Amino acid sequence: MVQGTTSDAGKSMLVTALCRWLARRNVRVAPFKPQNMALNSVVTADGGEIGRAQAVQALAAGLAPHTDMNPVLLKPNTDKNAQIIIHGHALTNMDASGFHNYKSIALQAVLESHTRLSAEYDRIIAEGAGSPAEINLRANDIANMGFAEAVDCPVIVIADIDRGGVFAHLAGTLALLSESEQARIQGFVINRFRGDKALLDPGLDWLERYTGKPVLGVFPYLQGLHLEAEDALPRAADFSAPENQEYLRIIIPALPRISNHTDFDPLRLHPQVHVQFIGPGETIPPADLIILPGSKSVRADLDWLRQQGWVAAIQRHLRYGGKVLGICGGFQMLGQWIHDPCGLEGDSGSAQGLAFFDIETTLEPQKILRNTHGRLAFNDAAVTGYEIHAGITTYDTPYQPLIHLPQGQDGAISDDGLILGTYLHGIFASTAACNTLLSWAGLNTQVEIPDYQTICNIAIDRLADCVEQHLDTAQLDRLLDLDAQPS
């Protein structure tokens, strides 16, 4: 099991790297995360919902995502309340204390999934959540040491040296664990190191003497590595307009409960596109395209949009011929009303939408979860994606659909052609569809771009190469009991 000293220490990255490293050696390996809290999720092959990081790890292992890879998923509705998803399907909403009391039941779901994966695969690489040294969360833990002790697995702890204080993070984490938990830790990995490793070696020697635990390796800081984020928005990157080259400006409101922002990773990687997430209090700049993203709390995020001045900005943007795209919750916001009679995302009631489409959405307890494919109405370009939503949308005015799907029509195109809406996540990962939508948004000349799946696989292979080059693979073989297994 890979645990970390902090969130974003590199747990997901290391599990991804180890899955590809093992798969290359023909070891049948599966990723596993007992409990995840994330608003980036995917639809699995068995029709459920798991965290997106586990889908990336499944790709690294050469597998289709399955609900057993992430049996407990928490999707926050507010700072104090989350939707509880067990084995891929929404169970209920709970506050923190309610879920704390529920953990003993959730553990059974975790162990059931782990047992099934253990029977099917040679090895499982599990990922912890946050830090194992969160004192207030130790009781009934199912995400870190509680799980590791329940299944009796060894643990590696990873820390991010780029944050600073890496030795304090590792030594302090170890000190706050129980004796049995300390004994379970088999070594440390240091992540995101830049510079001359010879200058780091004295610190590594001290850490090994002080803790009695080996340092299994030092991962370098990998410039330009693309790995989809588990939840946090990507850090802003410096951007300068390409010389003698057209580029497209896209802005996206950083909604408080933004979901599936990985939809926009293919755009962020496009050499002719500048994507900017606009946070609270930030000036809304001019753009060619405004995208309203998915949301876990559509009515609350709609209120936030109004408070931040987005309504006037969108109206002004459209007056000057700018384009608007709404995806999933963003599509719902573009309608007349959003009704939540069951209080799925807060208090029951209705909220008035932005009224750019004559549609209404009603949130219902049963989510729609499906992977699908179709054709864009513009030019028949192929598109694949997935739906994750509780809303059922009715059309009071007929619109041309945006996408033709096997099960029917999806989305809408406004009469003036300036506004699009769709329920489909992942549409920009389809190269032909991405090129079509960028042309609609105003990008007239486009360079050849690699297939998005190819980009993802190149990054994962790069991580696996780093395992070979920078980690103690003999020690890893011993921990995985692969010493005698031919590679």
Side-chain angles (χ1 to χ4, degrees):
M1 185 178 201
V2 176
Q3 298 180 10
T5 56
T6 61
S7 294
D8 198 33
K11 298 183 291 292
S12 296
M13 176 277 298
L14 184 54
V15 171
T16 303
L18 292 173
C19 282
R20 178 58 59 90
W21 174 67
L22 289 170
R24 281 177 173 179
R25 301 168 64 192
N26 297 317
V27 177
R28 296 171 65 253
V29 59
F32 184 72
K33 184 155 185 170
Q35 175 193 307
N36 198 350
M37 178 177 283
L39 289 176
N40 288 340
S41 59
V42 299
V43 178
T44 61
D46 57 323
E49 180 182 5
I50 65 171
R52 192 162 189 91
Q54 281 60 66
V56 174
Q57 293 159 0
L59 172 65
L63 304 174
H66 192 281
T67 52
D68 280 338
M69 296 173 183
N70 176 206
V72 179
L73 174 62
L74 313 180
K75 300 187 81 170
N77 296 312
T78 68
D79 290 342
K80 297 180 179 180
N81 183 282
Q83 184 179 62
I84 312 301
I85 297 169
I86 303 294
H87 288 150
H89 297 281
L91 179 71
T92 187
N93 291 335
M94 291 184 187
D95 60 18
S97 61
F99 180 70
H100 183 75
N101 295 329
Y102 180 77
K103 283 182 181 178
S104 60
I105 299 174
L107 178 60
Q108 298 310 307
V110 167
L111 297 178
E112 287 171 14
S113 288
H114 184 263
T115 298
R116 285 192 288 264
L117 290 177
S118 298
E120 189 172 354
Y121 297 97
D122 299 329
R123 298 293 182 273
I124 296 173
I125 307 296
E127 178 187 342
S131 161
E134 302 290 355
I135 304 301
N136 56 312
L137 300 176
R138 292 283 294 280
N140 302 324
D141 170 59
I142 65 172
N144 290 297
M145 284 298 181
F147 165 77
E149 297 218 305
V151 302
D152 191 23
C153 70
V155 173
I156 294 172
V157 177
I158 188 169
D160 179 5
I161 196 170
D162 197 50
R163 294 169 178 259
V166 70
F167 298 114
H169 281 166
L170 289 167
T173 296
L174 188 67
L176 291 175
L177 301 178
S178 69
E179 287 187 11
S180 65
E181 292 167 345
Q182 290 177 357
R184 194 164 295 282
I185 292 179
Q186 300 299 302
F188 302 129
V189 172
I190 291 177
N191 189 26
R192 299 191 182 107
F193 176 71
R194 325 178 193 223
D196 183 355
K197 184 176 173 293
L199 298 176
L200 181 63
D201 286 339
L204 303 183
D205 293 340
W206 173 89
L207 183 65
E208 292 188 335
R209 290 194 306 270
Y210 184 81
T211 64
K213 308 288 183 182
V215 175
L216 301 176
V218 177
F219 248 74
Y221 191 102
L222 297 174
Q223 296 283 355
L225 179 77
H226 172 68
L227 197 65
E228 291 184 351
E230 183 172 50
D231 196 46
L233 281 172
R235 298 172 184 173
D238 292 333
F239 176 80
S240 55
E243 289 187 16
N244 303 318
Q245 184 173 299
E246 182 182 4
Y247 74 99
L248 194 80
R249 300 164 298 171
I250 299 176
I251 59 174
I252 304 167
L255 304 174
R257 295 299 169 205
I258 188 172
S259 66
N260 291 78
H261 62 72
T262 48
D263 282 345
F264 313 117
D265 283 7
L267 300 178
R268 292 174 49 240
L269 296 170
H270 196 293
Q272 293 173 283
V273 174
H274 177 222
V275 176
Q276 187 177 0
F277 290 94
I278 309 300
E282 295 181 354
T283 300
I284 302 172
D288 300 294
L289 172 62
I290 294 175
I291 302 180
L292 299 183
S295 166
K296 185 61 187 70
S297 297
V298 181
R299 290 189 298 149
D301 280 350
L302 189 52
D303 287 342
W304 181 89
L305 279 180
R306 290 191 167 100
Q307 293 164 9
Q308 297 294 319
W310 277 93
V311 176
I314 292 171
Q315 291 170 338
R316 182 173 60 251
H317 172 80
L318 289 168
R319 282 199 303 272
Y320 285 93
K323 306 295 177 60
V324 174
L325 169 64
I327 298 178
C328 198
F331 176 37
Q332 295 170 354
M333 292 178 186
L334 291 172
Q336 297 282 358
W337 289 94
I338 298 163
H339 308 291
D340 187 3
C342 300
L344 298 178
E345 296 183 351
D347 295 334
S348 60
S350 298
Q352 194 164 9
L354 301 177
F356 291 112
F357 284 123
D358 192 15
I359 61 176
E360 296 187 21
T361 299
T362 301
L363 304 184
E364 297 186 354
Q366 188 66 36
K367 276 189 184 182
I368 292 176
L369 300 169
R370 61 183 164 219
N371 293 305
T372 190
H373 61 89
R375 298 278 174 178
L376 285 181
F378 287 122
N379 61 353
D380 213 34
V383 59
T384 60
Y386 57 98
E387 293 181 58
I388 301 178
H389 57 93
I392 302 296
T393 297
T394 56
Y395 296 74
D396 298 318
T397 296
Y399 292 98
Q400 181 183 1
L402 178 60
I403 303 172
H404 301 289
L405 300 172
Q407 66 270 20
Q409 312 296 348
D410 170 77
I413 302 174
S414 65
D415 293 338
D416 60 8
L418 297 180
I419 308 172
L420 307 180
T422 178
Y423 267 117
L424 214 60
H425 291 288
I427 54 176
F428 295 113
S430 302
T431 302
C434 182
N435 288 338
T436 298
L437 292 169
L438 291 179
S439 295
W440 163 78
L443 187 59
N444 295 318
T445 59
Q446 296 189 27
V447 298
E448 187 85 12
I449 59 171
D451 173 75
Y452 181 65
Q453 194 84 340
T454 300
I455 293 173
C456 293
N457 270 305
I458 289 171
I460 294 170
D461 279 332
R462 190 177 170 194
L463 291 175
D465 291 342
C466 280
V467 172
E468 288 283 357
Q469 296 165 12
H470 299 286
L471 298 191
D472 187 337
T473 55
Q475 283 269 50
L476 291 174
D477 279 351
R478 179 185 63 79
L479 291 177
L480 291 161
D481 196 24
L482 293 173
D483 307 70
Q485 181 168 321
S487 59

